[in-house]
Amino acid sequence: IKLLARFYDVNEGQILINGIDIRELDLAEWHKQIGILFQDFNRYEDTAQHNIYYGNILREKADESIKLAAAQSGADDIIDSFEKKYEQMLGLTFEKGVELSTGQWQKMALARAYFRNAPVLVLDEPTAAIDAKAEQEIFERVEKLSADKTVILISHRFSTVRRADSIVVLFGGSILEQGTHDELMKKNGLYAELFGIQAKGYL
């Protein structure tokens, strides 16, 4: 993903975007096309509104767009509980700031990624600190959002990835298996084995 974002350039092989080597693309223009929520995301000790707006400071700071991103991530319920709503200062650095749980910070970061509104959205373990019910709600929203976007989801939770159009299983730095959930289960390979191990935890 860091190669896709061109934090680094490849030293072997190629990454092609619509048949064009990624190194030949204008970097600023490419960055406008991609939004990434890394597992180690930023926690901005600023207002809730600004936490979301920082996802794309080139966009107009319209309240409705920010509220839509919050609703899409599930952060709206958190913000509605604040005395100052979207003007609430987050974190304890500043006076009258409120601290959030890790899961709540994660929802704020997810809202920031949605506000970016890029054609390519990358989510790196986006629900690692969120309970199962909230995870289900978030991925129902992700499915609706992905109708006109490319969504790359990185996860070790099989409940998260099983609904993807295409699942890629990486092992030892290489692609081991690829297909839909049903196709990979029929192959009875590593994906099926690990899915079975996780499923046993719910029986």
Side-chain angles (χ1 to χ4, degrees):
I1 295 305
K2 290 177 180 177
L3 292 172
L4 185 64
R6 280 201 67 197
F7 292 171
Y8 311 101
D9 279 331
V10 299
N11 51 29
E12 284 183 47
Q14 288 179 300
I15 296 175
L16 302 177
I17 307 297
N18 291 334
I20 301 171
D21 191 306
I22 195 171
R23 291 169 290 187
E24 297 177 12
L25 299 177
D26 180 271
L27 188 58
E29 287 301 314
W30 172 238
H31 281 168
K32 290 177 184 177
Q33 306 304 312
I34 188 168
I36 304 175
L37 172 57
F38 286 109
Q39 190 172 1
D40 186 18
F41 53 84
N42 288 329
R43 307 179 187 202
Y44 296 106
E45 301 217 358
D46 202 335
T47 64
Q49 181 193 55
H50 284 163
N51 256 273
I52 298 172
Y53 179 64
Y54 290 152
N56 189 350
I57 59 172
L58 299 177
R59 286 185 68 182
E60 182 183 352
K61 191 164 63 175
D63 288 347
E64 290 309 311
S65 298
I66 289 173
K67 288 178 180 179
L68 175 61
Q72 289 168 336
S73 74
D76 55 340
D77 288 342
I78 301 166
I79 296 169
D80 286 343
S81 72
F82 298 147
E83 181 183 348
K84 295 184 178 180
K85 309 301 180 185
Y86 284 83
E87 295 303 317
Q88 176 64 55
M89 190 67 70
L90 306 184
L92 300 179
T93 298
F94 299 99
E95 188 177 358
K96 295 184 179 179
V98 296
E99 186 55 278
L100 304 184
S101 69
T102 301
Q104 289 173 327
W105 276 117
Q106 198 164 26
K107 285 185 178 181
M108 293 300 300
L110 192 56
R112 192 158 57 241
Y114 287 158
F115 182 74
R116 186 165 183 79
N117 197 30
V120 180
L121 177 62
V122 181
L123 303 175
D124 181 8
E125 298 281 5
T127 58
I130 293 173
D131 62 60
K133 183 174 183 288
E135 179 191 46
Q136 175 72 14
E137 292 170 355
I138 284 172
F139 281 105
E140 284 176 358
R141 295 187 180 104
V142 168
E143 279 193 290
K144 292 177 183 176
L145 283 171
S146 63
D148 59 348
K149 297 182 187 297
T150 297
V151 179
I152 300 173
L153 175 63
I154 304 164
S155 182
H156 292 88
R157 288 191 187 182
F158 289 86
S159 58
T160 298
V161 303
R162 65 181 298 174
R163 293 153 75 176
D165 296 321
S166 179
I167 301 167
V168 178
V169 181
L170 298 176
F171 183 78
S174 299
I175 295 176
L176 181 66
E177 298 173 331
Q178 187 170 354
T180 64
H181 170 77
D182 290 339
E183 288 168 350
L184 292 176
M185 290 302 289
K186 288 176 183 176
K187 284 184 179 179
N188 205 28
L190 181 62
Y191 178 89
E193 178 187 349
L194 295 178
F195 183 88
I197 290 171
Q198 283 199 9
K200 283 181 182 177
Y202 295 99
L203 297 177

